[in-house]
């Protein structure tokens, strides 16, 4: 049973008496229910459900008695399902004895975590419960932003083939409880979801859900954006001002790293991701376009050139290994043959004073504003371009901790040539936090120490051009062997090989995800429900 507690949303009335009283709301229903171990006077308002224990009258001034009669409440927007509660015995025919009503609630816990909980309103009257049940169902139906039908793409190969178990045991029961219809497609190979999104009928669906790892998530996001361009008749050879994705995308983390889902929710937690979808929480996210010589290569959220690209290129040659083993092997081997790239980097600094409308109005003329571009040349070990924080288990504060999901800018992090030992020190800084509590307490200091090496430069940018000055690529596996003509890029965990300059442009809020704002959840002003 929810217990009234100062600072909790369940005890909102108690904690709010010291502040200005909220505007009065109309009472829709009032009745008697047993909640927990005692009877309560329950009121259903337009925004909240409130209840107060029914106690015998006592002399005025009895502080202990007054404390017992404190009023509790839950906000209606936190309820995602309502069911009639019945007592059913084994092999019993019929619907069983009515006990009352059960409310299913989404609670905000610490560190961005969401949890599903229940509240039982006990009353044996069929007529009484039917009136309340119908009114509560009517209220839930009024939340039009919540999905009623979802298209599911399930990658059964993700994370040691555990994705199917994750979906059918943890996700599907919650979706059914919320009354959401689903259409599940099991993908059979890499690129399957992308090909399906080009042709499948999406009319009638309120959103798309991907169950899998980063590869699956980014494939579905890329496919949704490509489909939006085709539907709008955009020229894909050079999508200068792309249109937004038509449906929101939900991510269920079922991979080995889950960078995109972790960055989106602040935590790689299956129930949290599922509840964001059920509650219809929408988070716009900035997207990058990667293009070369006037041709769109792909949509994405983050990229690494140099060490990050070579490491992935090497790991792809050892697909027979487990994901963690081939990642560790590729990192160690690339470090032993650490070599910088000779390239020219041009970037357009982010003008934080512009609003989104002003930035979009300037998109068609940015490339002609040569005076605003900055150019640096040299030997670089790694170049990171990130529109999202890129949180993961090995980098709990993110590869770009100063980046946000929807702030209209990217972080450009350049690692100049240095010794192998200094570069390894830089890599170790990412995994320096031992627990989440330390992370939240020390984030400002951690960010400053993350990039205080003299060989690291960070910039907040809107566009980036990376132009390798070498005529051939570099083969990290065979140092003296044949050279490759293309340079490897790591784009959202996928290998992209390009032989010429790559132009990266940011497009604010190009796609919407089901997910809560990490900044909002971490805001100390936001209270947590405590059941």
């Amino acid at each position: 049973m929810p217990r009234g507690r100062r600072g909790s949303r369940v005890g909102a009335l108690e904690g709010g008496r010291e502040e200005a009283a909220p505007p009065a709301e109309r009472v829709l229903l009032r009745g008697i229910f047993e909640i927990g171990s005692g009877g309560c006077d329950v009121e259903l308002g337009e925004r909240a459900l409130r209840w107060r224990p029914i106690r015998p009258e006592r002399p005025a001034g009895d502080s202990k008695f007054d404390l017992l009669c404190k009023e509790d409440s839950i906000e209606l927007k936190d309820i995602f399902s309502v069911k009639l509660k019945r007592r059913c015995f084994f092999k019993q025919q019929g619907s069983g004895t009515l006990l009352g009503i059960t409310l299913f609630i989404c609670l905000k816990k610490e560190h961005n975590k969401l949890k599903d909980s229940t509240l039982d309103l006990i009353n044996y009257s069929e007529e009484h419960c039917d009136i309340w049940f119908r009114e509560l169902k009517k209220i839930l139906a009024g939340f039009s932003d919540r999905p009623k039908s979802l298209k599911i793409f399930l990658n059964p190969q993700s994370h040691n083939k555990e994705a199917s178990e994750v979906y059918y045991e943890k996700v599907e029961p919650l979706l059914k409880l919320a009354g959401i219809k689903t259409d599940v497609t099991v993908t059979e190979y890499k690129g399957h979801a992308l090909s399906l999104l080009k042709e499948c009928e999406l009319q009638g669906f309120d959103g798309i859900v991907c169950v899998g790892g980063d590869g699956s998530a980014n494939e579905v996001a890329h496919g949704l954006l490509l489909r939006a361009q085709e539907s709008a008749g955009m020229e894909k050879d050079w999508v200068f001002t792309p249109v937004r994705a038509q449906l929101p995308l939900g991510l269920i983390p079922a991979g080995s790293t889950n960078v995109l889902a972790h960055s989106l929710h602040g935590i790689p937690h299956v129930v949290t991701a599922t509840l964001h979808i059920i509650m219809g929480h929408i988070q716009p996210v900035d997207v990058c376009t990667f293009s070369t010589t006037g041709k769109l290569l792909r949509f994405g959220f983050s990229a690494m050139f140099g060490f990050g690209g070579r490491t992935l290129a090497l790991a792809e040659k050892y697909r027979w290994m487990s994901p963690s083993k081939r990642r560790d092997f590729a990192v160690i081997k690339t470090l032993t043959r650490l070599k910088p790239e000779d390239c020219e980097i041009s970037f357009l600094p982010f003008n934080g004073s512009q609003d989104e409308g002003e930035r979009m109005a300037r998109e068609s003329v940015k490339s002609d504003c040569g005076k605003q571009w900055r150019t640096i040349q040299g030997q670089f070990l790694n170049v990171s371009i990130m529109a999202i924080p890129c949180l993961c288990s090995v980098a709990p504060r993110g590869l770009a901790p100063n980046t946000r999901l929807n702030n209209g800018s990217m972080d450009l992090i350049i690692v100049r040539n240095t010794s192998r030992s200094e570069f390894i020190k830089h890599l170790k800084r990412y995994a320096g936090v031992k627990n989440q509590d330390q992370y939240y307490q020390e984030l400002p200091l951690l960010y400053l120490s993350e990039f205080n090496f003299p060989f690291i430069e960070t910039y907040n940018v809107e566009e980036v051009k990376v132009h390798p000055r070498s005529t051939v690529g570099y083969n990290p596996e065979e140092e003296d062997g044949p050279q490759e003509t293309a340079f490897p890029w790591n784009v959202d965990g996928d290998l992209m090989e390009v032989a010429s300059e790559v132009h990266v442009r940011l497009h604010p809020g190009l796609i919407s995800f089901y997910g809560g704002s990490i900044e909002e959840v971490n805001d100390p002003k936001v209270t947590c429900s405590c059941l």
Side-chain angles (χ1 to χ4, degrees):
M1 166 187 168
R3 297 292 182 187
R5 183 167 163 180
R6 190 173 302 277
S8 73
R9 191 172 337 142
V10 171
L13 291 185
E14 176 188 348
R17 281 175 179 161
E18 299 176 0
E19 303 175 359
E25 61 175 311
R26 184 165 60 95
V27 176
L28 304 176
L29 291 174
R30 184 173 182 177
I32 304 299
F33 288 93
E34 181 181 327
I35 300 179
S37 58
C40 293
D41 182 8
V42 184
E43 287 186 354
L44 176 62
E46 294 176 307
R47 296 186 298 273
L49 180 78
R50 297 180 174 86
W51 64 94
R52 179 187 292 271
I54 299 174
R55 306 291 183 188
E57 291 187 5
R58 294 286 184 89
D62 188 336
S63 59
K64 183 178 180 181
F65 174 74
D66 291 341
L67 182 63
L68 291 173
C69 293
K70 291 295 184 182
E71 188 175 76
D72 283 345
S73 68
I74 56 173
E75 295 183 36
L76 299 183
K77 65 183 181 65
D78 293 331
I79 302 173
F80 66 88
S81 185
V82 57
K83 303 289 183 183
L84 290 173
K85 183 179 179 68
R86 295 184 181 276
R87 179 187 288 120
C88 296
F89 297 100
F90 182 66
K91 293 185 179 180
Q92 178 181 357
Q93 299 295 326
S95 57
T97 304
L98 177 70
L99 298 178
I101 299 171
T102 298
L103 305 180
F104 296 86
I105 309 164
C106 173
L107 301 177
K108 288 182 181 179
K109 308 300 284 186
E110 68 282 354
H111 307 329
N112 306 299
K113 190 175 182 180
L114 299 183
K115 176 185 177 182
D116 61 298
S117 186
T118 60
L119 175 68
D120 290 329
L121 307 178
I122 304 301
N123 190 299
Y124 301 126
S125 169
E126 290 271 3
E127 182 180 358
H128 185 69
C129 288
D130 184 65
I131 294 172
W132 279 73
F133 177 73
R134 289 177 181 274
E135 187 65 33
L136 287 166
K137 291 285 286 185
K138 179 181 176 181
I139 290 171
L140 294 186
F143 293 117
S144 58
D145 52 344
R146 297 183 182 180
K148 297 177 176 59
S149 180
L150 295 170
K151 176 67 180 177
I152 313 287
F153 288 99
L154 170 62
N155 180 2
Q157 302 299 320
S158 290
H159 195 41
N160 300 322
K161 302 182 180 181
E162 296 176 359
S164 296
E165 180 181 345
V166 166
Y167 176 74
Y168 289 111
E169 293 188 6
K170 296 183 178 181
V171 179
E172 187 181 57
L174 282 173
L175 296 180
K176 285 185 176 180
L177 184 62
I180 299 175
K181 298 178 181 179
T182 58
D183 182 80
V184 181
T185 295
V186 178
T187 58
E188 300 175 359
Y189 52 86
K190 184 177 181 180
H192 191 194
L194 180 61
S195 61
L196 289 173
L197 278 168
K198 293 180 180 178
E199 302 175 355
C200 69
E201 180 60 56
L202 296 181
Q203 188 174 2
F205 293 110
D206 300 311
I208 307 295
V209 174
C210 175
V211 184
D214 287 320
S216 302
N218 289 287
E219 180 182 325
V220 174
H222 177 61
L224 268 178
L225 287 165
L226 280 181
R227 178 171 178 138
Q229 311 318 307
E230 292 178 355
S231 299
M234 301 291 290
E235 181 61 48
K236 289 189 296 181
D237 284 342
W238 180 246
V239 183
F240 203 70
T241 307
V243 299
R244 288 174 53 85
Q246 298 168 333
L247 293 175
L249 174 59
L251 301 182
I252 303 297
S256 54
T257 54
N258 305 302
V259 169
L260 187 53
H262 198 157
S263 299
L264 183 66
H265 307 307
I267 183 173
H269 187 244
V270 171
V271 172
T272 295
T274 306
L275 287 173
H276 277 306
I277 295 170
I278 290 172
M279 304 303 289
H281 297 158
I282 298 296
Q283 172 65 55
V285 177
D286 298 341
V287 179
C288 304
T289 51
F290 297 86
S291 56
T292 183
T293 60
K295 179 182 179 181
L296 175 69
L297 297 173
R298 62 169 295 157
F299 293 95
F301 304 93
S302 65
M304 287 187 285
F305 174 77
F307 176 80
R310 292 196 213 103
T311 300
L312 180 60
L314 180 59
E316 287 296 306
K317 297 180 180 180
Y318 293 85
R319 297 290 297 182
W320 52 270
M321 290 185 178
S322 67
S324 59
K325 287 183 178 180
R326 69 170 177 262
R327 179 191 63 204
D328 294 342
F329 170 78
V331 168
I332 293 173
K333 191 163 186 178
T334 306
L335 281 172
T336 61
R337 297 177 175 177
L338 190 64
K339 180 181 178 181
E341 294 286 2
D342 182 15
C343 59
E344 176 181 285
I345 302 174
S346 302
F347 59 91
L348 185 65
F350 172 63
N351 185 354
S353 62
Q354 300 175 42
D355 59 23
E356 182 176 345
E358 191 176 350
R359 288 197 305 270
M360 293 180 66
R362 293 181 63 249
E363 280 191 339
S364 60
V365 295
K366 273 181 183 174
S367 296
D368 297 329
C369 301
K371 293 182 180 181
Q372 298 183 14
W373 286 82
R374 294 183 57 185
T375 301
I376 55 178
Q377 299 179 354
Q379 302 281 325
F380 306 112
L381 289 176
N382 192 69
V383 178
S384 298
I385 306 167
M386 298 181 176
I388 61 175
C390 293
L391 278 65
C392 59
S393 58
V394 296
R397 44 188 197 277
L399 299 177
N402 199 39
T403 310
R404 296 294 178 266
L405 297 172
N406 186 31
N407 65 348
S409 68
M410 304 178 287
D411 265 11
L412 170 63
I413 305 171
I414 299 172
V415 182
R416 290 186 178 270
N417 193 19
T418 187
S419 66
R420 183 182 293 106
S421 61
E422 288 297 299
F423 184 69
I424 292 175
K425 287 181 183 179
H426 159 63
L427 295 180
K428 286 184 176 180
R429 287 284 178 90
Y430 286 114
V433 176
K434 296 181 180 179
N435 59 65
Q436 288 284 356
D437 290 331
Q438 179 185 357
Y439 165 55
Y440 286 106
Q441 294 170 4
E442 302 180 5
L443 179 58
L445 294 177
L446 289 169
Y447 177 70
L448 291 175
S449 64
E450 184 95 22
F451 305 110
N452 64 356
F453 293 101
F455 53 86
I456 296 180
E457 301 173 17
T458 62
Y459 304 93
N460 200 223
V461 302
E462 296 180 40
E463 291 188 55
V464 180
K465 297 178 182 178
V466 180
H467 178 71
R469 296 196 292 182
S470 175
T471 57
V472 293
Y474 171 67
N475 189 336
E477 191 173 22
E478 302 176 25
E479 188 172 5
D480 299 324
Q483 303 288 301
E484 298 180 358
T485 58
F487 294 89
W489 283 73
N490 181 336
V491 180
D492 298 324
D494 288 335
L495 182 63
M496 182 179 77
E497 295 181 305
V498 187
S500 57
E501 176 183 278
V502 173
H503 185 182
V504 185
R505 297 186 67 246
L506 187 83
H507 306 277
L510 197 61
I511 190 171
S512 292
F513 284 89
Y514 287 114
S517 170
I518 296 177
E519 291 79 18
E520 178 186 335
V521 177
N522 288 342
D523 191 333
K525 296 179 182 178
V526 177
T527 59
C528 294
S529 299
C530 302
L531 290 195

